[in-house]
């Protein structure tokens, strides 16, 4: 019988959706949310290159040129930084819609990195993948920021600075309701809406709000979070890009939300709640508010202390 070819090392990983910014933490704060995500299948190849062979799922028309794809760019950055002599072949299954405000571009590059990391001769700690993930995310957003990739790497609520990830403890009972209307808001368009000057007083107010949210999460003090979870910088400029935003936000607040705002670049809207039943009830009301604008929507409800990206069989 002829000798069989040895099989190439292959690994897969899943990265969950994420609520970026969390209103008051533009580009530096985010948390994961179970229920949707992207899957990457990575094969270690002898050729010193990164190739993308297949993209399927809810989004298919993404660039297959590795340098123009968030997952491909992240793997290129990994290869170059480590001086790897081998390369990677990548397939992506997209479970997060394009331009949804649920961190789909970040999920692709984090899933690819987590899968590729298991194929390294000496796998890296999760935190060491952070810079490569930001390199990949920059392909979609135009800048290196970690409010999505950081939480996806570590799980839960994460403060993501330029060089460091800090996981913020959150009470297990606290839940997030996220409602994704069936419309697209491109990240670059949402970022363009932020151009212009800001008053110093607005920065002071936003800093105070962010501090209250972080302290409230650390102490399990819902009163502090309720006082602080109010975006005075970004939300006013992006709200006009989200259909019926004010109605959807008010629906969350009417059901006891600690706060509600735009998830990532939008158009998804999230609310934080002290208990799961309130989050589920609010999600239905938020979905109804989007329906008033003629938009169907999807709902995710889960703990704010959500899962990290993980290798899968």
């Amino acid at each position: 019988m002829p000798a069989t070819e040895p099989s190439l090392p292959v690994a897969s990983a899943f990265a969950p959706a994420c609520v970026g910014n969390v209103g008051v933490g533009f580009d530096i704060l985010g948390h994961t949310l179970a229920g949707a995500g992207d899957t990457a299948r990575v094969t270690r190849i002898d050729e010193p290159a990164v190739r993308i062979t297949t993209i399927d799922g809810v989004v298919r028309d993404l660039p297959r040129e590795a340098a123009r794809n968030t997952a491909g760019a992240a793997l290129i950055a990994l290869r170059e930084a480590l001086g790897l002599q081998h390369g990677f072949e990548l397939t992506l299954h997209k479970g997060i819609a394009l331009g949804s405000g649920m961190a789909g571009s970040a999920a692709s590059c984090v899933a690819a990195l987590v899968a590729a990391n298991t194929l390294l001769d000496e796998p890296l700690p999760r935190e060491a993948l952070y810079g490569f993930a930001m390199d990949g995310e920059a392909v979609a957003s135009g800048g290196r920021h970690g409010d999505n990739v950081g939480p996806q790497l570590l799980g839960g609520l994460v403060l993501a600075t330029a060089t460091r990830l800090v996981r913020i403890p959150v009470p297990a009972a606290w839940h997030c309701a996220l409602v994704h209307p069936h419309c697209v808001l491109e990240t670059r368009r949402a970022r363009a809406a932020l151009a212009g000057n800001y008053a110093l007083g607005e920065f002071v107010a936003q800093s105070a709000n962010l501090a209250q949210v972080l302290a409230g999460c650390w102490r399990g003090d819902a009163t502090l979070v309720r006082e602080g979870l109010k975006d005075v910088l970004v939300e006013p400029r992006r709200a006009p890009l989200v259909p019926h935003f004010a109605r959807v936000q008010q629906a969350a607040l009417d059901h006891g939300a600690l706060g509600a705002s735009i998830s990532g670049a939008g158009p998804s809207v999230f609310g934080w709640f002290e208990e799961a039943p309130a989050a589920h009830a609010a999600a239905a009301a938020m979905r109804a508010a989007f329906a008033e604008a003629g938009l169907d929507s999807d709902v995710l409800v889960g703990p704010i202390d959500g899962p990290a990206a993980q290798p899968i069989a």
Side-chain angles (χ1 to χ4, degrees), residues 17 36-38 57-62 93-108 180-185 187 266-268 298:
D38 287 2
V58 298
V59 183
R60 298 171 182 266
D61 56 345
L62 295 174
H93 179 77
K94 297 289 295 177
I96 301 176
L98 187 68
S100 62
M102 296 167 59
S105 61
S108 291
H180 165 227
H182 292 179
C183 61
V184 174
L185 177 52
T187 300
S268 295
D298 301 315

Side-chain angles (χ1 to χ4, degrees), residues 7 14 25 43 77 120 127 133 136 140 157 167 175 178 192 235 256 264 270 282 288 299 301 305:
S7 59
F14 176 84
T43 303
L120 298 180
E127 290 85 348
L157 180 68
R167 205 173 191 278
H175 273 60
L178 182 143
E235 180 187 298
F270 79 94
V299 170
V301 176
D305 191 23

